[in-house]
Amino acid sequence: MARTSSDAALQRQEAGEASPRQKTRLDLFKFVPFRLNRLAAEVSSALAVEYQGRHGLDIPAWRVIATLGFRNDACSAQYISQCTRTHKSTISRAVTMLLHEGLIERVENEADRREFRLQLTKKGRALYEELFPQLLRREDEILACLSAQERKQLSALLGKIEQSLDLIQTSEEADAKQAY
C-alpha cells in the first residue's frame, strides 16, 4: 500500500513530531537566505566606509573597480554585472561615472570590434592599489571574532554552498569557461 504525504504527516503528528507546515510563519532570523543577505549588506556597508568617504565611490563603482583590478585583461560591463550579481543598469551608471572620472577606459574587443571592454586607467589602478590593502585590513577586523580555524571552516562552508549552486569560484575558472 502506497503511503501518501498526509499519511506521513499523520504518523509524525501521532509520534509528536512537528510538521514543517505546522509553523504559522517563517522566522527570518533563522532563515539562512535572509541571514546571508543581511550579513552581506552589513559587511558591504562596513567596507564602503573605506572608499565612499575618502574617494566618493559608491558600492557599484567599487565593484567595477574591484572586478577590473583583480583581472589581467579587460572585460565587458556584462561580465562585471554577472560576476558581482549587480543589475546591468546599476553597473552601466557606475561605468559612466568612472569613465567621466578617468578611473576606467574603454578598449576595443579585438575579437568583436562592435563591442568594447573596460580596463582601469593608471589613475584607476593607483586607486585600486591604495584601496585593496585597506579593505583587506577591514575584512580582518570584521572576521576578528573568528579563530583561524573558524575562518578556514567558514571559507570551506561558503565554498560548498557556492558549489552546490554551481557558482564559479575563481577568476581562472571564469576565464577558462568563458563565463560571464
Side-chain angles (χ1 to χ4, degrees):
M1 179 162 117
R3 284 179 51 178
T4 65
S5 59
S6 59
D7 291 336
L10 183 59
Q11 283 184 334
R12 278 195 305 271
Q13 191 175 21
E14 289 171 355
E17 297 175 25
S19 167
R21 298 214 180 255
Q22 286 180 336
K23 292 187 177 185
T24 58
R25 63 182 125 158
L26 175 69
D27 183 347
L28 285 178
F29 296 102
K30 293 181 181 174
F31 187 55
V32 171
F34 173 79
R35 294 174 72 190
L36 289 172
N37 187 56
R38 189 172 72 147
L39 188 58
E42 286 298 312
V43 169
S44 190
S45 292
L47 293 176
V49 169
E50 296 294 328
Y51 50 80
Q52 277 181 331
R54 294 183 182 113
H55 302 285
L57 299 174
D58 61 8
I59 291 170
W62 168 248
R63 288 177 181 170
V64 171
I65 289 174
T67 304
L68 295 175
F70 82 84
R71 294 183 48 80
N72 293 322
D73 301 322
C75 65
S76 68
Q78 180 181 358
Y79 176 95
I80 297 167
S81 175
Q82 291 175 338
C83 182
T84 63
R85 296 295 196 248
T86 306
H87 195 275
K88 61 185 177 181
S89 64
T90 303
I91 293 298
S92 179
R93 284 190 296 277
V95 163
T96 299
M97 186 273 292
L98 293 168
L99 286 166
H100 179 73
E101 295 293 322
L103 295 169
I104 65 172
E105 62 189 357
R106 291 181 171 143
V107 293
E108 275 188 1
N109 179 356
E110 293 178 16
D112 182 354
R113 294 208 180 271
R114 296 169 296 171
E115 179 187 65
F116 67 88
R117 294 186 175 258
L118 303 167
Q119 67 184 15
L120 293 175
T121 61
K122 280 186 174 187
K123 181 179 174 184
R125 176 62 59 190
L127 177 62
Y128 175 80
E129 296 293 334
E130 176 188 335
L131 280 174
F132 86 80
Q134 295 169 1
L135 294 171
L136 291 175
R137 268 194 306 281
R138 187 69 178 116
E139 177 190 36
D140 283 341
E141 291 169 7
I142 291 167
L143 297 176
C145 63
L146 302 175
S147 68
Q149 180 62 31
E150 289 170 329
R151 287 183 190 202
K152 286 179 185 176
Q153 289 173 331
L154 175 62
S155 181
L157 292 170
L158 290 173
K160 283 180 88 168
I161 295 169
E162 290 168 338
Q163 189 173 27
S164 77
L165 295 171
D166 202 28
L167 294 176
I168 290 174
Q169 296 177 289
T170 66
S171 56
E172 294 81 11
E173 184 182 358
D175 290 344
K177 291 182 177 180
Q178 295 186 349
Y180 302 126

